[in-house]
Each structure stands twice: as structure tokens, then as C-alpha cells.
Amino acid sequence: MKQFWVDIRPWRKDLATTALESGADALIVEDAERVRELGRVTTIAENGDLIPGKDIFEIEIVDKESEEEALRLSRDGYVIVRTRDWTVIPLENLVAQSDRIVAAVANAEGAKVALTVLERGAAGILLSTDDPAEIRRVASVIAGAGEEVPLVPFEVTRIVPVGMGDRVCVDTCSILADGEGMLVGNTSSAFLMVHPETLENPYVAPRPFRVNAGAVHAYILLPGGKTAYLADLAVGDRVLVAEHTGTTHDAVVGRVKIERRPLLLVEAKTDDATVSLVLQNAETIRLVREDGTAVSVAALAVGDKVLGSVAEGGRHFGVAVKETILEK
């Protein structure tokens, strides 16, 4: 998730309140105590959580030497970069070499540029504005700046009950939409998209915040290309939610429910990859077709096409590693 910082120097309570309500990750202020009276958020100040010149650095990019200085400083912490006459090229040079560059911007248009340079974008943006509405606009830009996940259709090759086991419901702090889902797999090299419980059902009311994601051992794809075992998810963690188009956003885990249920193995393939996933054997568990519609595992048939993703296999504590690992 991209960092969203707001510069409130000089102090204005209305801007600070709007930033907090808009989900800002940090506020730069002259006195952190003023922020602490309003709520809990990271402060960047001499008496703050992060100290300028020690944890956070600011630099104006005026020439190649200042670019090199920004890169040097980024080895020790985040670097806020500014320019008098902003162009994309200096930011591209910095983003290509560091994941700790925060671009100073004045509006939502500047934020869009900063978050999309070289496709990966800056690590975050620092907004300086005297307009509360601009804070909300930039917050919306950042909320929609999730990474793209390449989704591919897998052809179902096998569906078989495998007996009893423990499955995991991931309850988020967000209302999820039709056509979205979490990417889950038995291995870290391929995932299927599991649909949230958004649809009406004669047996149980919709739970649009929930994805009944799979068995406890399965991997779930997280923001930043990391993974976690479903059983390891905890309150406050962030999970990746993908749309059937491949765009993504984060969701905060509010609860994890592990219960013993009958399970079902689904296997599928593309031309150059295979995927498998153990899910609860129930009509409310659904995968996602190419057009974004949901298909229940109770109605799923060999030959059906469902969406998934192929990734680089081999993980060490959820991070992809270059080593010989065989998962099957």
C-alpha cells in the first residue's frame, strides 16, 4: 500500500482532522502533541514518532548531484523529494533505484503521476495543500492505486471431496463487491480467485465482508507480492483483494474463523501452469469466471474456466526466493 502523508505546516486543525478521517498514514507537523489530541496516527516532527533528519529526510532535486544525495539518504530512511519545476524524469530515476522515495505533490493530478511512474510508482506521496477537499481527492487516488495482478483463465481438470479438515474464513473490515476475490492456492506458484460471500443464498444471508478462502495450509497472496498461510492471518493484517480485471486494493483483516468442515479439492491448468486448492465443500463457496461472475463449487464442472494467477514459486517467510523448491 502506498504511503499517504500530509504536510500540515503551519498547523491547521481542520486539515489535520480531514487527513485523519481520510486515512493518512502520517502527518508532518511542527508539534506532534497537537495531533495526539485528535487521534492516533504517525507523526513526523522533532517530538514525533519519526524525526526529520534522522528517520525521514527532505531534499530538493535541482541537479544530478541532488538526485544522488536522495538515493544515498534513502539507504537510511524515507526521502521526501521536491523540485521547483517538477518533471517526471528525476522521479523515474529515483524510483528505479529506491523503494523509499516519497514525492511531494500539491494536488490529486500530481499524486497520480507520482504513483504511476515506471508503473511501480513512488513509495508514497506527501501532500501540501490548504484545501481539505484536496486531501480527500488524493486519498481516493491512493485507494485506487493498488498493484495490478495478471489474471489468467484456468481450465478445471478435477473436483473431488477429500474429507474433513479445517478451513479459514477471512472476515475483512471492508464491504467487498461481486467480481472481486482473494487469490489462494495450495502452492505459492499458482492461485485461484475465491469470491466473497456477497450473493443471495436460500440457506444463509450474504456476508459481503467475508471470503471463505480455503484450508488452513493454503497460501494467500498479500500486498507487495508476499504470501501468508491462511492459518497465520490475524486481526489487523492486510490482504490483497483483486477485481476480475486484475486491479487490486487492500483490505484489513477484522477476524479469522477456523472451523472443521468437509473439504473439496479443485485442480485446474493453463497451457504452462497447474493450480490446486482445497476449499470447503459447500454451495456458498465460489470461484470467479472470466467475466467476473461467480460459480459455486457445488455447480463447478470439469472443463469450466475460472480465474487465477501464476506467480514465482518458492517462499521464505512469505517472500519469493531464488532457490530450488518443489511444491506439489
Side-chain angles (χ1 to χ4, degrees):
M1 187 67 177
K2 302 297 186 180
Q3 290 290 304
F4 178 28
W5 299 355
V6 182
D7 192 340
I8 306 180
R9 298 175 295 185
W11 173 256
R12 274 183 52 181
K13 184 177 180 179
D14 61 330
L15 295 179
T17 300
T18 302
L20 284 167
E21 292 175 347
S22 300
D25 297 294
L27 304 185
I28 298 186
V29 291
E30 294 161 344
D31 182 6
E33 290 303 320
R34 286 180 161 180
V35 179
R36 292 168 183 149
E37 294 172 358
L38 301 178
R40 291 182 179 271
V41 67
T42 298
T43 54
I44 302 171
E46 291 299 330
N47 62 339
D49 303 300
L50 300 174
I51 311 301
K54 178 183 177 184
D55 306 304
I56 304 292
F57 306 93
E58 294 187 68
I59 188 168
E60 185 175 17
I61 305 300
V62 295
D63 51 25
K64 195 64 180 178
E65 287 72 24
S66 55
E67 278 188 38
E68 293 173 354
E69 176 66 4
L71 289 172
R72 186 189 67 79
L73 291 170
S74 72
R75 293 194 289 267
D76 297 320
Y78 283 107
V79 179
I80 300 165
V81 296
R82 306 176 185 273
T83 65
R84 297 172 188 170
D85 180 21
W86 186 257
T87 58
V88 173
I89 299 303
L91 185 58
E92 286 184 343
N93 294 341
L94 294 169
V95 168
Q97 301 176 74
S98 175
D99 59 0
R100 290 181 171 182
I101 300 301
V102 176
V105 303
N107 50 47
E109 289 69 30
K112 290 176 185 177
V113 173
L115 294 171
T116 55
V117 293
L118 297 182
E119 296 186 358
R120 63 185 289 189
I125 63 97
L126 170 67
L127 175 65
S128 298
T129 182
D130 60 2
D131 183 2
E134 197 64 41
I135 295 175
R136 290 189 284 269
R137 282 191 285 270
V138 172
S140 296
V141 169
I142 291 177
E147 60 206 83
E148 292 278 339
V149 174
L151 298 177
V152 296
F154 283 83
E155 181 180 342
V156 176
T157 57
R158 186 177 179 222
I159 310 161
V160 58
V162 292
M164 299 295 291
D166 296 314
R167 66 92 174 106
V168 180
C169 282
V170 182
D171 290 352
T172 72
C173 298
S174 301
I175 298 297
L176 306 179
D178 294 350
E180 294 184 333
M182 296 178 188
L183 291 161
V184 192
N186 282 340
T187 71
S188 62
S189 60
F191 307 87
L192 290 176
M193 189 170 170
V194 186
H195 199 273
E197 295 188 4
T198 58
L199 303 178
E200 293 289 341
N201 183 283
Y203 307 103
V204 63
R207 300 287 189 269
F209 51 80
R210 172 177 296 170
V211 174
N212 191 330
V216 286
H217 70 280
Y219 286 104
I220 180 170
L221 193 60
L222 304 179
K226 296 181 179 181
T227 61
Y229 295 121
L230 285 176
D232 287 346
L233 291 178
V235 175
D237 287 347
R238 288 186 177 272
V239 292
L240 192 73
V241 177
E243 299 178 20
H244 74 281
T245 57
T247 59
T248 70
H249 61 89
D250 295 3
V252 177
V253 176
R255 175 175 53 241
V256 175
K257 289 184 65 181
I258 300 176
E259 296 169 308
R260 192 162 180 81
R261 294 290 187 269
L263 301 177
L264 188 74
L265 171 64
V266 176
E267 296 178 342
K269 67 176 183 178
T270 64
D271 290 338
D272 53 5
T274 60
V275 65
S276 68
L277 178 60
V278 176
L279 294 156
Q280 182 178 340
N281 187 0
E283 66 283 343
T284 54
I285 288 73
R286 297 176 172 89
L287 301 177
V288 182
R289 298 188 181 96
E290 293 178 80
D291 62 359
T293 58
V295 54
S296 169
V297 295
L300 194 66
V302 170
D304 285 350
K305 297 284 186 69
V306 291
L307 286 176
S309 180
V310 178
E312 184 177 3
R315 300 274 169 167
H316 183 67
F317 293 106
V319 179
V321 294
K322 295 280 188 180
E323 63 177 325
T324 302
I325 296 178
L326 175 62
E327 295 179 302
K328 63 181 182 177

